[in-house]
Amino acid sequence: MQDTAPRVMVLDGDYDNAIQVATEVSSDLDAVVIGVGTSTESRLLCSKYCDVGATVPTTGEGYGEALLDLVREYRPDIVIPVGYRSVTALDEVRDRLPDGVARCLPPSRALLAAVDKQRMLELASELGIDTPTDYTDVVVNADERTPDAVRDLPYPVFLKARHECGENVTAVVDDASSFWSTYEELAARADDDVLVQECIDDPRTYGCGVLFVDGSLQMLFEHEERRSVPRQGGSGTRVGIFRDPRLEAASLRLLRALDWSGFALVEFKRADDGSYVLMEVNPKLWASYALASQSGYRFVSSMVAETLDISWDRPTSPDQTGEMVFPLRELHFALTHADESLFRSAVTMLWPPAQWDVHLHDFRSWFTLPTDKADTGEVGSAPTGDGSTSDEDATASPDEGPSNRLTGADPRSEHD
């Protein structure tokens, strides 16, 4: 059993949920936090809970090797990736990490499956979990790219990149006239196949956050995303604790089939008949993780303690109800989108009253603007890629019009 303060390297220091991670492990485990950001002005590196700051210039090509160099230099006891790109980068170098440096990641084969949205939907169907009706073959087999070729699709339809690509590449298309232009734009942005699916008309998203360590379920937490940016689904700005055994059962069945390890968020929409329809599996911490952590569901501390064999006082009575707002995320979206009402956004954050995610005692980190050096799509709170459910990127592009509602990342900015 480790009897000294653990050295914990927290990646993705430009995200607000990385600040929550550092706060948690410092408070619970008296950890020495080594924060990693894209610059010395990254938000985590401005936090009172960051003991040592380190930088990497990018999360793009070469990021894995840059992380490996940092790990060799600082020799943490464990490395915690917060965003998707860090999860995949750490997976790439996992076998070359120095002895004594731990990580809690899913098996590489499970990670590859999770980021393939089509594969996840196929697996879910095999396990008896509801999925959106898929129309991709209709589009792929179309003889020509004209409105007539897709006129019979049951509009609106939902389009998304097949593979997770570190930014939110999705769109809702309302009619055949705008279908092909939107389809081709998404394919070019993601450099990937595009899935065409039934659009589940549910403004809310339901997420089940799970932690497995060495095949053992350690923690589970469900939330309901009641307001988000973008509005058709993205990063939550008003999120509440939620519980439904059906959601738990489906999430665990899917992750156990993958032999999962580490964190994951399994996301669903609710169909008109009340059933839950799988959207995707996010192989990482989610942007609204502060609600779970501050409600007593200390996923990260639990993972570190279990992995390093550290004794700690786990909260014994986590909250069963509660709601949290993310005002900085909401107001940033309102200020950067001309069709949004700043007044209405402010009201939704103030009423009904709810806990804020901001720690005023760590003012500098929370009110530091995201650095311009971070990769597209993963600043502020991370994106996942399914605009209906991502809970990742708080900064997304405005809607492109009534029949071509495109969700994308702010060019300054990875999640859910």
Side-chain angles (χ1 to χ4, degrees), residues 279-313:
M279 293 291 105
E280 65 181 22
V281 175
N282 292 315
K284 58 175 186 58
L285 282 173
W286 46 102
S288 59
Y289 174 66
L291 172 63
S293 179
Q294 295 183 40
S295 299
Y297 298 85
R298 313 286 268 194
F299 279 76
V300 180
S301 291
S302 181
M303 184 270 283
V304 173
E306 288 295 324
T307 303
L308 299 181
D309 193 20
I310 297 172
S311 176
W312 73 296
D313 297 325

Side-chain angles (χ1 to χ4, degrees), residues 384-397:
T384 56
D386 189 334
S388 59
T389 60
S390 82
D391 194 27
E392 271 267 39
D393 189 0
T395 55
S397 65

Side-chain angles (χ1 to χ4, degrees), residues 147 155 172-183 403-405:
Y155 295 98
V172 176
V173 180
D174 290 329
D175 55 54
S177 64
S178 60
F179 180 88
W180 288 112
S181 60
T182 306
Y183 182 91
S403 62
N404 177 12
R405 301 196 296 276

Side-chain angles (χ1 to χ4, degrees), residues 136-201:
T136 305
D137 285 347
V138 174
V139 175
V140 171
N141 296 326
D143 292 333
E144 53 186 9
R145 297 198 167 190
T146 64
D148 284 343
V150 291
R151 198 167 302 282
D152 292 336
L153 290 176
Y155 295 98
V157 291
F158 186 70
L159 276 59
K160 63 182 178 183
R162 173 173 174 172
H163 295 89
E164 178 58 60
C165 58
E167 64 172 293
N168 202 343
V169 184
T170 65
V172 176
V173 180
D174 290 329
D175 55 54
S177 64
S178 60
F179 180 88
W180 288 112
S181 60
T182 306
Y183 182 91
E184 290 167 0
E185 180 179 352
L186 262 63
R189 282 176 56 199
D191 191 24
D192 193 14
D193 296 335
V194 174
L195 303 183
V196 182
Q197 299 176 342
E198 168 191 11
C199 186
I200 307 298
D201 188 20

Side-chain angles (χ1 to χ4, degrees), residues 332-341 394-399:
H332 177 271
F333 184 80
L335 286 169
T336 54
H337 290 72
D339 57 346
E340 288 289 323
S341 165
T395 55
S397 65
D399 291 343

Side-chain angles (χ1 to χ4, degrees), residues 123-124 127 129 250-258 266 278 281:
L123 176 59
L127 296 172
I129 300 170
S251 300
L252 293 177
R253 192 155 69 246
L254 189 58
L255 292 176
R256 283 177 171 141
L258 293 168
V266 188
L278 176 71
V281 175

